[in-house]
Amino acid sequence: MSWQTYVDDHLMCDIEGHHLTSAAILGHDGSVWAQSTSFPQLNPAEVTGIMNDFAEPGSLAPTGLFLRSTKYMVIQGEPGAVIRGKKGSGGVTIKKTGQALVIGIYEEPVTPGQCNMVVERLGDYLVDQGL
C-alpha cells in the first residue's frame, strides 16, 4: 500500500459523515511521505520543534505548537508518543512512530477524540509494522 493510500483511506476517512481538515505522514526529518491536498507545508523549524517535544515532553508548551505559522495551544498528550494541540474549534494530533510523524488537523464538527482515534490508530499500526 502506498503512503498516499494511508492518508487518503485511513486519515481522511469518513468519520460519522465528516473528515479531518488535512492530514500527512512525514519522516522524522520533515520529508513528506504523503499528504492531503490542503495540508500546510511545514518549515524545518516547526518539524524540529515537534521532534524536540517528543524528546523532551513539554518543551512546546510555553511557546505553542506551530504548523505553517498557525499556533496551537499544546494540551495533554502522551509524552514521547503523541502531541495534541488546540486552536479555537479545531486542533491537531501528532503521533510519532519509529520512522514517521502521523499528523491530523481537524475543525468542528470533528471532535478531538475522533481525530485522536484516527491518527493514533494508524500510528499504532505503523509501529506494529516496524515503521
Side-chain angles (χ1 to χ4, degrees), residues 100-122:
L101 299 173
V102 181
I103 305 173
I105 300 173
Y106 68 93
E107 288 289 339
E108 284 185 343
V110 174
T111 67
Q114 290 170 323
C115 181
N116 296 343
M117 181 187 66
V118 169
V119 170
E120 293 175 39
R121 184 188 308 148
L122 179 58

Side-chain angles (χ1 to χ4, degrees), residues 41-85:
Q41 187 65 45
L42 306 185
N43 69 48
E46 292 167 338
V47 175
T48 299
I50 291 166
M51 291 304 295
N52 288 345
D53 194 78
F54 282 121
E56 299 172 34
S59 64
L60 284 176
T63 60
L65 166 64
F66 286 87
L67 299 179
R68 197 64 200 169
S69 306
T70 299
K71 182 179 180 178
Y72 294 87
M73 178 178 66
V74 178
I75 56 176
Q76 102 294 348
E78 296 171 28
V82 179
I83 298 171
R84 296 184 183 112

Side-chain angles (χ1 to χ4, degrees), residues 1-12 23-25 32-37:
M1 190 181 310
S2 76
W3 291 113
Q4 192 62 50
T5 303
Y6 282 114
V7 170
D8 295 342
D9 294 351
H10 298 280
L11 294 175
M12 298 301 291
I25 301 172
V32 177
W33 294 6
Q35 65 183 18
S36 63
T37 54

